[in-house]
Amino acid sequence: KAGVTQTPRYLIKTRGQQVTLSCSPISGHRSVSWYQQTPGQGLQFLFEYFSETQRNKGNFPGRFSGRQFSNSRSEMNVSTLELGDSALYLCASRSQGLAGTDTQYFGPGTRLTVL
Amino acid sequence: DQQVKQNSPSLSVQEGRISILNCDYTNSMFDYFLWYKKYPAEGPTFLISISSIKDKNEDGRFTVFLNKSAKHLSLHIVPSQPGDSAVYFCAARNGNQFYFGTGTSLTVIP
């Protein structure tokens, strides 16, 4: 099976712009989560989508939004970019297996730099 | 509010010795715990997990220990190898949400 893919891998934007990141989960996985990773902050949960519905949301401002399509692919949008949005954005998918086997599989991430 | 904490940002260990990575959590509702390994420019890779009903899970050189009364999780790597050098994240699940620590950078010295 192909792994989780994310596009683009690198992005450079300027303050005030908006950006859209894309994630394709592992085939058959219906849950897609997004995380922001910054130095010293670990992985901060943004939101999770399951069957095209946002199921969980982290503590991020409304500038961060997402959606999921019927094929489980997901997009994340950040509007009015700020310097502090510079980070690695990771997407993870999971199959919703039994509790003992519930594992998220991560993509390689999109490195966003805001100038 | 950081519900999962890794208080050691870095750790250096000699090749062949044991590496012990630690993780503390505050939420007693967490029912599933995982360790991930991350190399630069790659996404985290799942390493090993443990359910809250167990206190130990072993997979080859990797063993995870869970002490629920102390709300403490640890990962033991024996023997450590240079290829184990990476950032290790612990994670905990509550419902459908996963909470991650800030990571510990492990360096295994040949």
Side-chain angles (χ1 to χ4, degrees):
Chain A
K1 270 186 182 177
V4 178
T5 58
Q6 291 186 246
T7 57
R9 291 294 309 275
Y10 302 92
L11 263 180
I12 298 175
K13 293 284 187 178
T14 56
R15 279 181 299 173
Q17 287 187 308
Q18 68 97 26
V19 67
T20 299
L21 313 181
S22 181
C23 171
S24 292
I26 292 171
S27 177
H29 286 192
R30 294 161 64 193
S31 164
V32 174
S33 296
W34 289 89
Y35 293 86
Q36 181 194 66
Q37 185 191 3
T38 53
Q41 290 294 316
L43 277 70
Q44 302 289 312
F45 174 73
L46 280 151
F47 29 66
E48 182 205 12
Y49 285 86
F50 181 81
S51 294
E52 301 179 65
T53 301
Q54 188 181 87
R55 186 162 65 174
N56 285 295
K57 189 176 188 307
N59 193 23
F60 277 79
R63 300 185 296 107
F64 292 81
S65 63
R67 59 178 176 169
Q68 186 180 33
F69 302 94
S70 58
N71 61 358
S72 292
R73 188 177 71 85
S74 177
E75 286 182 348
M76 189 189 90
N77 185 274
V78 188
S79 63
T80 320
L81 284 166
E82 300 176 359
L83 295 179
D85 297 333
S86 295
L88 180 68
Y89 290 88
L90 292 159
C91 164
S93 76
R94 62 185 175 126
S95 64
Q96 295 264 233
L98 296 174
T101 60
D102 191 7
T103 301
Q104 291 186 100
Y105 295 89
F106 284 85
T110 294
R111 171 70 64 184
L112 172 64
T113 302
V114 182
L115 302 176
Chain B
D1 179 31
Q2 196 73 24
Q3 298 188 44
V4 178
K5 297 179 183 178
Q6 293 177 258
N7 292 318
S8 297
S10 61
L11 175 68
S12 289
V13 171
Q14 286 290 135
E15 181 179 3
R17 306 293 291 268
I18 183 171
S19 294
I20 300 176
L21 296 98
N22 294 303
C23 180
D24 296 298
Y25 62 94
T26 58
N27 191 341
S28 58
M29 298 299 291
F30 289 145
D31 64 350
Y32 190 64
F33 301 87
L34 311 91
W35 283 95
Y36 285 85
K37 176 178 174 180
K38 185 180 185 300
Y39 293 117
E42 295 182 13
T45 304
F46 169 72
L47 203 52
I48 191 169
S49 64
I50 187 168
S51 165
S52 61
I53 62 174
K54 295 187 175 181
D55 54 19
K56 177 183 174 181
N57 188 26
E58 197 170 349
D59 184 3
R61 296 185 298 113
F62 303 92
T63 303
V64 55
F65 295 92
L66 176 62
N67 183 333
K68 284 202 302 182
S69 60
K71 294 190 176 68
H72 181 78
L73 186 73
S74 64
L75 174 68
H76 291 208
I77 305 173
V78 184
S80 301
Q81 299 174 353
D84 296 329
S85 296
V87 176
Y88 290 78
F89 291 96
C90 64
R93 184 186 71 184
N94 180 14
N96 283 307
Q97 191 162 331
F98 291 81
Y99 298 81
F100 284 78
T102 51
T104 296
S105 178
L106 173 66
T107 301
V108 179
I109 304 164

